[in-house]
């Protein structure tokens, strides 16, 4: 019930393109859905998060779409830039006070 | 900007030896965590700590592991007798409130290599 499935494992996007990363979960007790960004040699850092009472949240070029009935949420990066090249993790929370990390998506944005 | 600080950045130890990983959480935070990431795998929760006691722990966090907040600023993870499979990146994190109410800030990690 704690399982979180993230896809794709890796993603290559051209500069200016849209990056889309998906996360599917099983635990209906999750009540907070963050995406973390991790650069090499650094710890994960919160990028954007959503609560289940809304279906979409946008912050600059980053958007989370949330589908409660399908138990899925996704990260969209508009106008992707080389500086966005990093590993992205979905890490929903709920019930217990711990982040349940997906396997990660390695994004490479080519100029 | 306040940050979580971890030391050392890299620790090499012999199998069977004890190691202590150190963390200085952000000063006004109340919740402290350890996570680990084995090379190429996902980040896994180890333990959360609140009000000077463990509030939750994972199956990974067995009797070989312990945490302590020895003073008002440090938060440590001790592995009593290291095994080869303990080799991983260990991340300390802290938050003002529970994960679902606030952002968790992660340190840069300590790479533990057990030989």
């Amino acid at each position: 019930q704690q399982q979180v499935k993230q896809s794709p494992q890796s993603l290559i996007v051209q500069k200016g393109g849209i990056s889309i990363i998906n996360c599917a979960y099983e635990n209906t007790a999750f009540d907070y859905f963050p995406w973390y960004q991790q650069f090499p040699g650094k710890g994960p850092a919160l990028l954007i998060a959503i609560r289940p009472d809304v279906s979409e949240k946008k912050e600059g070029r980053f958007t989370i779409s949330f589908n409660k009935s399908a138990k899925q949420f996704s990260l969209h990066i508009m106008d992707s830039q080389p500086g966005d090249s990093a590993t992205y993790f979905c890490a929903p929370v709920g019930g217990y006070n711990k982040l349940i990390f997906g396997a990660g998506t390695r994004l490479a944005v080519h100029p | 900007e306040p940050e979580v600080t971890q030391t050392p950045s890299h620790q090499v130890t012999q199998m069977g030896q004890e190691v202590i990983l150190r963390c200085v959480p952000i000063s006004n935070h109340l919740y402290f965590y350890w996570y680990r990431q084995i090379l190429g795998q996902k980040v896994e929760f180890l333990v959360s700590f609140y009000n000077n006691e463990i509030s939750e722990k994972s199956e990974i966090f067995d009797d070989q592991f312990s945490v302590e907040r020895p003073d008002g600023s440090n938060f440590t993870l001790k592995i009593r007798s290291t095994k080869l499979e303990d080799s991983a990146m260990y991340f300390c994190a802290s938050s003002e409130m529970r994960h679902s109410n606030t952002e968790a800030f992660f340190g840069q990690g300590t790479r533990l290599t057990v030989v």
Side-chain angles (χ1 to χ4, degrees), chain B residues 29-44:
Chain B
H29 285 186
L30 300 177
Y31 291 83
F32 314 111
Y33 313 87
W34 285 99
Y35 288 81
R36 80 172 186 189
Q37 185 177 29
I38 295 173
L39 189 63
Q41 298 186 25
K42 66 171 73 174
V43 179
E44 300 173 291

Side-chain angles (χ1 to χ4, degrees), chain A:
Chain A
Q1 268 244 312
Q2 297 279 5
Q3 197 172 11
V4 173
K5 290 183 182 174
Q6 185 175 339
S7 61
Q9 248 185 331
S10 62
L11 183 60
I12 299 174
V13 172
Q14 292 298 121
K15 180 181 173 183
I18 302 172
S19 305
I20 301 174
I21 304 170
N22 301 297
C23 192
Y25 62 94
E26 297 175 358
N27 189 345
T28 54
F30 287 147
D31 60 1
Y32 181 63
F33 299 87
W35 284 95
Y36 278 80
Q37 180 188 55
Q38 184 181 29
F39 292 105
K42 303 282 190 182
L46 180 66
L47 182 64
I48 186 171
I50 198 169
R51 297 199 183 277
D53 52 343
V54 295
S55 59
E56 188 173 279
K57 181 176 180 180
K58 185 174 179 178
E59 288 182 359
R61 296 185 293 110
F62 302 95
T63 300
I64 295 183
S65 297
F66 180 74
N67 186 329
K68 189 173 182 177
S69 60
K71 291 189 279 185
Q72 293 178 350
F73 62 112
S74 58
L75 174 68
H76 296 234
I77 306 174
M78 312 299 286
D79 187 26
S80 299
Q81 299 296 312
D84 297 330
S85 297
T87 301
Y88 293 81
F89 296 95
C90 60
V93 186
Y96 298 98
N97 187 29
K98 58 186 175 184
L99 298 165
I100 307 297
F101 281 82
T105 297
R106 188 167 291 188
L107 171 66
V109 181
H110 291 177

